[in-house]
Amino acid sequence: MQFDINEVASNMLAAIKNSVKDDWKKVKEAATNFLQDNKSRLGLLANSRLSNEISDEDFLARLGDEKKILESQLHAIAILSKVAAQNAANAAIDVLSAAVSKALGIGIL
């Protein structure tokens, strides 16, 4: 299975959009910029797991860190409540985790 960080980032953005629903117009530009800024780091993390440079345990720990980073970035958008920012970050990171799991040919990490 091929892993394409551009496709995954696009799917992560769609997950955020779905999570914030009515507030999407207010957060679209900032959320897009955050994911663009984070994309190379997320791609490096995913590729490190796909090439077995890091274990599932390390990958999941780093995903937790990335979730906190994205959540903090989303908090910068005043319109989002803490719960909405957490939900949006969770949805986006779940997309990345599922894509890596699919590329590895295993169940969800």
Side-chain angles (χ1 to χ4, degrees):
M1 164 78 198
Q2 284 285 73
F3 179 84
D4 179 358
I5 190 60
N6 292 315
E7 180 181 346
V8 172
S10 177
N11 292 340
M12 291 172 75
L13 194 60
I16 291 171
K17 178 181 180 181
N18 187 53
S19 181
V20 299
K21 298 185 186 346
D22 295 336
D23 292 321
W24 175 241
K25 288 181 183 178
K26 298 172 186 171
V27 303
K28 178 181 179 180
E29 183 177 351
T32 300
N33 290 337
F34 294 147
L35 279 178
Q36 277 300 110
D37 292 345
N38 299 344
K39 187 168 58 172
S40 63
R41 191 178 63 250
L42 296 172
L44 179 62
L45 175 59
N47 286 321
S48 292
R49 177 60 199 107
L50 293 172
S51 63
N52 288 317
E53 292 175 28
I54 61 173
S55 66
D56 284 345
E57 183 178 288
D58 289 338
F59 178 70
L60 292 174
R62 297 274 308 276
L63 274 184
D65 294 340
E66 291 299 332
K67 190 182 297 184
K68 288 176 187 173
I69 291 167
L70 183 56
E71 183 180 332
S72 294
Q73 290 171 321
L74 292 170
H75 277 297
I77 305 168
I79 192 67
L80 290 182
S81 69
K82 180 175 176 140
V83 171
Q86 287 173 336
N87 290 343
N90 288 341
I93 295 300
D94 287 349
V95 169
L96 176 62
S97 179
V100 170
S101 294
K102 185 175 181 181
L104 286 171
I106 61 173
I108 300 290
L109 292 170

